[in-house]
């Protein structure tokens, strides 16, 4: 509505953003995220059988929500696992985080940290539920795009 109608068009004040991830076994995923990534468990809700049906962890001050959906969830959707989900976690030392993850997962191939042309150093690892996590460290304000690529920002 317009201001003439007595209503103001107000943009909402965003208070945060949290990924909401589905896991066949949310308890296993919760324990894995705390052990491997060093996240902090905030809360877990369990059903009468002790299965985690909802939980959240903190990555610094950022919250990650998760739900336990059971082993058949993805098959009912016609896919093998999470599709199109990439979680980016900003860190101050990507190499230290890589060392932590590699030590926690000695039998898993974890990509090596790599400098990107857009000023980031990153590595990616898949969790026990098939979700991809990229740890991202800002290393430069200088962007070195390949020939023919352009940076476009709104005015």
């Amino acid at each position: 509505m317009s201001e003439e109608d007595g209503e103001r068009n107000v943009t909402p004040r965003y208070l945060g953003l949290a990924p909401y991830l589905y896991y066949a076994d949310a308890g296993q995923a919760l324990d894995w995220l705390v052990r491997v990534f060093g996240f902090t468990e905030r809360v877990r809700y369990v059903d009468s059988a002790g299965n985690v049906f909802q939980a959240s962890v903190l990555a610094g001050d950022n919250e990650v929500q998760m739900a336990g959906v059971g082993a058949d969830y993805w098959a009912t959707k016609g896919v093998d696992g999470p599709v199109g989900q990439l979680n980016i976690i900003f860190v101050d030392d990507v190499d230290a985080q890589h060392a932590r993850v590699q030590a926690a997962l000695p039998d898993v191939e974890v990509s090596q940290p790599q400098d990107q042309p857009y000023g980031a150093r990153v590595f990616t690892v898949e969790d026990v539920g098939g979700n991809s996590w990229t740890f991202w460290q800002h290393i430069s304000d200088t962007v070195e795009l390949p020939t023919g690529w352009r940076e476009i920002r709104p005015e």
Side-chain angles (χ1 to χ4, degrees):
M1 296 195 147
S2 68
E3 285 191 41
E4 293 95 32
D5 295 332
E7 298 289 327
R8 287 185 24 216
N9 184 8
V10 178
T11 302
R13 188 172 63 102
Y14 297 110
L15 302 176
L17 175 69
Y20 190 88
L21 307 176
Y22 298 102
Y23 290 96
D25 184 337
Q28 176 192 32
L30 177 62
D31 294 341
W32 191 94
L33 292 170
V34 168
R35 179 180 65 83
V36 175
F37 292 165
F39 291 174
T40 303
E41 182 176 335
R42 185 175 166 275
V43 63
R44 69 174 69 197
Y45 299 100
V46 298
D47 61 20
S48 59
N51 297 313
V52 175
F53 66 87
Q54 173 74 31
S56 68
V57 294
L58 295 173
D61 293 332
N62 303 294
E63 194 164 353
V64 177
Q65 298 285 330
M66 62 188 67
V69 293
D72 298 330
Y73 180 80
W74 294 110
T76 64
K77 303 289 185 191
V79 295
D80 293 333
V83 179
Q85 180 71 40
L86 173 65
N87 303 287
I88 296 175
I89 303 295
F90 297 99
V91 296
D92 61 355
D93 186 340
V94 80
D95 294 295
Q97 182 65 6
H98 181 268
R100 175 196 176 91
V101 170
Q102 192 65 78
L105 302 172
D107 299 328
V108 174
E109 186 173 330
V110 179
S111 72
Q112 293 296 312
Q114 294 183 347
D115 295 346
Q116 300 299 316
Y118 42 82
R121 183 165 175 75
V122 304
F123 78 92
T124 300
V125 63
E126 188 174 288
D127 72 17
V128 294
N131 295 295
S132 293
W133 296 83
T134 293
F135 289 88
W136 178 309
Q137 178 182 356
H138 178 82
I139 58 170
S140 175
D141 289 329
T142 302
V143 176
E144 297 176 17
L145 297 173
T147 302
W149 291 30
R150 299 180 301 145
E151 178 178 334
I152 301 172
R153 295 181 185 255
E155 294 184 34

